[in-house]
Structure formats: C-alpha cells, structure tokens
Amino acid sequence: MARLAQTPGLTDVQRSILETVREFADKEIIPHAQRLEHADEYPTDILDGMREMGLFGLTIDEEYGGLGESLLTYALVVEQLSRGWMSISGIVNTHFIVAYLISQHGSAEQKARLLPKMATGEVRGAFSMSEPECGSDVSAIKSKAVRDGDNYVLNGQKMWLTNGAYSSVVATLVKTDTGADSVYGNMSTFLLEKEPGFGETAPGLTIPGKIDKMGYKGVETTEMVLDGVRVPASAVLGGEEKVGRGFYQMMDGIEVGRVNVAARACGISIRAFELAVAYAQQRRTFGQPLARHQAIAFKLAEMGTKIEAAHSLMVNAARLKDAGQRNDVEAGMAKLLASEYCAEVVQEAFRIHGGYGYSKEYEIERLMREAPFLLIGEGTSEIQKTIISRGLLKEYKL
C-alpha cells in the first residue's frame, strides 16, 4: 500500500506525524473498530490516546498550546484515522472546524479562553447549521436569536450534530434581524457553551439523545433544542460587531470541512483497497489466487487509480487554503470526486470478497455502511456540482 496516496513535498515534521498516526491506527484503532462499531460504543480509550498525541490541537497556534500545523497536515492525519475507522475522524472533524472558526474569526477573548482547552481536548467542539426542515438550503433555517438588553435569547431546533453530546462548545448558526437586504446578512454564529452529556446541558439547551444511524456509529449524532437559551452578546463569534456575519463565517469553515470529508473518503478507500488486495491474493478459485484473474486485477487497477486521483485533488485543495487562496471550487471538486470514488471503491472491494463481504465478521461490511454518509456529509454531490459549475462559469465568463 506504500505506493498509493503519497504526498510529495512534506517536511520531516509532517512525515513524522503521519508515521506516528498511521502506527496508532494500525495498533489502537483497526483491531478494535469492528467491536466498537457493532456495539455503537464510544471509543474513550482511543480518544485518550489521541489527546496524548496532541491531535486535538494539531492546527491550533502554538501560542494557545497547539502544534500549529497546516490544513494539509490535518487532512493527511484524517486520511489515516479514517483508514482505521471513519467515526474517529468524525470526532476530530467538527472539533477542528470550530477551532478553525475561533482562530480565524473569534475575538481575542474567545481565542484566549477556548483555544488552550481545545488544544488539549479538554474542551471539544461541535458545529451546527442544519435543521429538521432544511439541509443544504441554509437560508431556510428557522432558529432565531433575539436581542434582549445586553443578551440574546435563542430558540429553535438544530439537527445532525456530530459530537453533540460530548462537546462543550457548539458553533451554532441562527437568524438575527440585522435589517440586511440579503437573508445571508441576517445570520449570526453563536458559541454556545454547555456541559458534556445528554439532557439539559445548559439552561434551555437540550441534547435529547443519539440518532440511530445505518453506519458512522460510535460517535454520537444528535439534535439540539434551544428553548429560551440566554447568552451575552459576547457569545457571538468574533464579538457583537460580527452580528450578521455568521453565514460567511460558517462557509469559511465548510471549505475546510469539505477538504476533511475528502480526506475521510480517501482513508476509507485506502482501507477498502488494502482489504481487497489481501483477500484477492489469499482466496483461490479455479486453481489460482483471485488476483491472478484478469477481471479482478482490472478492478484493483481501477480502484488504485481512483484513490490516487481523489488523494491528489484533496491535497491540492488543502494546499490552496493553506496558501490563503480561495478554494471553494477545488474543495468541492475534491469532496465530490473523493466521496463518489469512495462509494465505488468500497463496493468493488465488497464484490471481490463475494459472500464473505456480507458477513459482519469481515471489515468490508462496515465500510459498506460508512461510505454512503460521505455522499451527503458537508453538502451532497449535487451541491458540490452547483458550487463547482458556478465557480467555473464565473471564471470563464464571456
């Protein structure tokens, strides 16, 4: 597997980090993932190991106790974690997005108070835009924050929060009446702080329970009910002067989130390929290993090519963002291709396994349930195509 998904131009530090994470995935994640996933059990021991490695602070500036690494480093780490078990990468993904939002858009007070604890994993973040009656159409959210003296009062219902229970701070997008002409100028992001757990975790803020899912188990996905949640104006991301900037802040976070989803898709694809190659070389039919049959060999060739293409797009999108350039089109391309190819690669690995792939004893069964999530997470493939086409038409406008 060493040949696929290589990334040229990495520093010695980056290579050392990736080697350490890959070894961690091999020893501490893969041997336990099947049991934990089938039991839908929260991976506490694995997370403790990640905290010791400093992964929760990977991209947080050193002045706040983090490692100060790039989006590219983070994406490559996520690729390795997802190769072990996608749910593990999900736990750090929303945490990373919230840390990024605070680093880029937060007030000095918010950075000083939250980032050091986020760097150690003592405080973990969740990210909330979706609602029960809207998904990709962010303009349709109904949750509101109304000014009341020096405070804001929030009401509404949010949906699909990864880390919804075990997080301590939730970056939450709601509508605020700022009088802007555009609906997007009437949205604000609030940093809602709460106790980890289920039930009423802060006055008026309730995490009802886990949503039962087809895959992506172990990590909790929840709703969040806001019923008269009262917070100071300083809870607005970036401070009160940033009221009305929430949509644009969140879209900045989504760009890095889409790079993350692409990385997760690459990681699952790599693992599916590893499983397929191992099985194809061990299983014999008609007197020879499966891998010696041209039909199977061609499948492996196509799988490897798709992994390489997706990985390259993901790396390019991360490097553009690290360079301070807009990468919405490139991130959309990476997310689109990597998630679609992931579904195809996993299915081909499943086919190579034959009847054994349908057994819960085999790891590919779990990947078959995890891969579909990436087709919709952080925006469906259709949304990515909309973003890509609009960007290209603007670039090539006659």
Side-chain angles (χ1 to χ4, degrees), residues 324-346:
Q325 299 180 41
R326 185 170 179 175
N327 78 335
D328 54 338
V329 170
E330 289 78 10
M333 287 179 171
K335 195 274 179 186
L336 170 65
L337 196 76
S339 61
E340 292 287 349
Y341 275 179
C342 177
E344 295 172 14
V345 168
V346 169

Side-chain angles (χ1 to χ4, degrees), residues 64-131:
Y64 299 112
L67 299 179
E69 278 295 326
S70 64
L71 173 60
L72 175 61
T73 306
Y74 179 77
L76 296 174
V77 164
V78 165
E79 188 177 58
Q80 289 302 322
L81 293 176
S82 299
R83 174 182 156 270
W85 181 18
M86 186 181 74
S87 294
I88 299 298
S89 68
I91 291 172
V92 294
N93 176 36
T94 53
H95 175 83
F96 162 70
I97 293 176
V98 175
Y100 173 84
L101 287 173
I102 295 172
S103 296
Q104 295 297 314
H105 305 285
S107 66
E109 185 276 332
Q110 290 167 347
K111 294 176 184 179
R113 182 167 54 84
L114 293 172
L115 289 180
K117 292 183 179 180
M118 294 185 77
T120 64
E122 177 185 349
V123 166
R124 299 223 310 275
F127 178 83
S128 179
M129 287 200 308
S130 293
E131 297 186 1

Side-chain angles (χ1 to χ4, degrees), residues 12 18 23 56 60 81 95 105 168 182 189 191-192 206 210 214 282-284 286 298 307 310 332 346 370 393:
D12 290 341
L18 292 177
E23 183 178 342
F56 286 98
I60 294 174
L81 293 176
H95 175 83
H105 305 285
S168 300
S182 169
T189 300
L191 298 176
L192 302 183
T206 300
K210 289 197 299 185
M214 176 176 76
Q282 294 166 5
R283 180 80 160 91
R284 298 180 65 86
F286 303 102
F298 279 11
I307 291 169
V346 169
E370 291 178 339
L393 287 170

Side-chain angles (χ1 to χ4, degrees), residues 233-250:
S234 59
V236 175
L237 178 61
E240 189 173 6
E241 62 271 20
K242 297 298 182 180
V243 170
R245 297 298 301 168
F247 174 80
Y248 307 102
Q249 293 169 338
M250 285 292 206

